[in-house]
Amino acid sequence: MSPDNWTHVTGFVLLGFPRSHILQSLLFLALMVAYVVTATGNLLIIGLSWRSRRLHTQMYFFLRNLSFLELLLVSVVVPKMLAVILTGDHSISFSSCIIQSYLYFLLGTTDFFLLAVMSLDRYLAICRPLHYETLMNGRVCSQLVLTSWLAGFLWVLCPTILMANLPFCGPNGIDHFFCDSWPLLRLSCGDTRLLESVAFVLSTSVLLGSLALTSVSYACILATVFRAPTATEQKKAFSTCASHLTVVIIIYGSSIFLYIRISEAQSPLLNKGASVLSCIITPLLNPFIFSLRNDKVKEALRDALTWHRIMAARNYEGHK
């Protein structure tokens, strides 16, 4: 189509939902339960690690930030999905779509950087324990988290600006349940080669760069663990990394499907499945994988519940 005949699309329609009312009802129930559990679990981890002195360590500082990040990530996608199913209105404005896409990739990119930082933290704790407190002090931890957020903000800014300036002249149906970048690109009637090249370079550099740092860290950790004199010490050292490694495998595995697609014919289905894994399932599992089965977190939770029972009893006595 000639640029003179382009008409600007003011909104899009999200088409990635089942048409059956029964399936929509089941999906709404599943999403609602998942969102409530995700929000409750991650807020619980944030609250406990903030309140309990026994959790005022570098590892739980990073975990608190990761839980906050996962909570934001699921909140960018799921509430809109619930609103679409509940109201039947599948439309989303152009500006809201671009903002949702930007926030999703901002949080996802920051997630990669933060996971790499956490692997570095585990490397220093296990491989250089005598220098750990000096190398990973409170100031350094705060700087690493701030750098992760700033890097995510800047990394996604350029592709988002290019996306926002693409011409969209119809059709406006997005074959997804949120404003992912690849389905959006297919709707543009302009030249998307520059954006595709920039997005590929940036996403690949984030994925492979953070994965390389994480892989090197764990290679050093494994070498140190296997040199431990007893099986008990090996198990103790590896147990501090098992949760982080589990989340790394899930997130990087889903991202490989998202950005290194096998074929164009398979990509829509793979995109939806991998997106569900990265923006719904992983934030849901995060509290259980990382903390709620951890002895220190369980002790902090028991302390918090005991404190609330004592305060409730005092308030009851005071009102008698």
Side-chain angles (χ1 to χ4, degrees):
M1 183 184 293
S2 170
D4 296 334
N5 296 325
W6 285 349
T7 55
H8 184 65
V9 169
T10 59
F12 299 98
V13 179
L14 300 172
L15 303 177
F17 294 87
R19 296 183 179 181
S20 167
H21 291 294
I22 296 177
L23 291 178
Q24 286 188 10
S25 299
L26 293 175
L27 179 60
F28 180 86
L29 180 61
L31 287 173
M32 178 63 74
V33 171
Y35 186 67
V36 170
V37 173
T38 300
T40 303
N42 283 288
L43 286 173
L44 182 62
I45 298 306
I46 294 171
L48 286 176
S49 63
W50 189 281
R51 179 183 178 278
S52 176
R53 284 187 171 274
R54 73 182 70 204
L55 300 182
H56 286 184
T57 64
Q58 293 90 328
M59 183 177 74
Y60 287 99
F61 172 77
F62 291 126
L63 181 56
R64 181 164 64 244
N65 282 276
L66 180 66
S67 293
F68 179 65
L69 185 65
E70 300 283 18
L71 180 59
L72 291 180
L73 181 61
V74 75
S75 298
V76 166
V77 176
V78 174
K80 178 60 180 179
M81 293 177 65
L82 293 173
V84 167
I85 298 173
L86 187 63
T87 64
D89 182 8
H90 291 239
S91 63
I92 183 171
S93 68
F94 181 86
S95 58
S96 297
C97 191
I98 295 298
I99 291 172
Q100 186 187 54
S101 178
Y102 175 72
L103 291 176
Y104 172 76
F105 286 102
L106 161 65
L107 296 169
T109 303
T110 306
D111 210 352
F112 285 128
F113 287 123
L114 189 56
L115 286 172
V117 167
M118 292 176 71
S119 69
L120 178 63
D121 171 71
R122 292 298 84 204
Y123 159 75
L124 293 175
I126 294 174
C127 301
R128 303 189 63 182
L130 298 179
H131 302 91
Y132 177 67
E133 293 297 334
T134 302
L135 295 173
M136 196 62 73
N137 55 51
R139 181 179 179 183
V140 172
C141 291
S142 299
Q143 289 175 342
L144 288 172
V145 170
L146 182 60
T147 301
S148 298
W149 279 94
L150 183 60
F153 171 80
L154 295 176
W155 223 269
V156 184
L157 187 59
C158 179
T160 304
I161 293 174
L162 292 175
M163 176 79 75
N165 286 281
L166 284 176
F168 294 90
C169 45
N172 66 341
I174 300 176
D175 187 17
H176 216 308
F177 51 81
F178 77 103
C179 291
D180 197 1
S181 60
W182 294 109
L184 270 174
L185 280 176
R186 293 191 184 92
L187 300 180
S188 175
C189 48
D191 188 355
T192 63
R193 287 176 295 179
L194 175 61
L195 175 55
E196 289 180 13
S197 299
V198 171
F200 177 78
V201 170
L202 292 178
S203 60
T204 303
S205 61
V206 169
L207 182 62
L208 297 183
S210 59
L211 181 58
L213 177 59
T214 302
S215 300
V216 171
S217 297
Y218 273 102
C220 296
I221 289 171
L222 289 175
T224 302
V225 169
F226 289 139
R227 288 198 301 266
T230 65
T232 302
E233 291 180 357
Q234 291 179 354
K235 183 179 179 181
K236 181 180 179 181
F238 189 73
S239 66
T240 64
C241 306
S243 298
H244 177 258
L245 188 59
T246 302
V247 173
V248 165
I249 292 172
I250 294 174
I251 291 181
Y252 281 100
S254 62
S255 298
I256 288 172
F257 281 110
L258 276 172
Y259 299 111
I260 308 177
R261 298 184 303 282
I262 299 173
S263 69
E264 286 298 320
Q266 292 175 310
S267 62
L269 183 59
L270 287 175
N271 278 351
K272 292 174 188 176
S275 296
V276 168
L277 187 61
S278 63
C279 67
I280 298 177
I281 303 300
T282 302
L284 172 65
L285 296 178
N286 177 59
F288 301 98
I289 293 175
F290 266 107
S291 300
L292 296 183
R293 63 184 185 87
N294 183 286
D295 290 337
K296 286 187 177 181
V297 175
K298 290 179 180 178
E299 291 172 5
L301 181 59
R302 283 194 291 268
D303 291 344
L305 292 175
T306 301
W307 182 82
H308 282 292
R309 283 197 296 268
I310 292 173
M311 295 303 297
R314 288 180 179 177
N315 290 333
Y316 176 76
E317 293 294 331
H319 288 293
K320 288 180 67 176

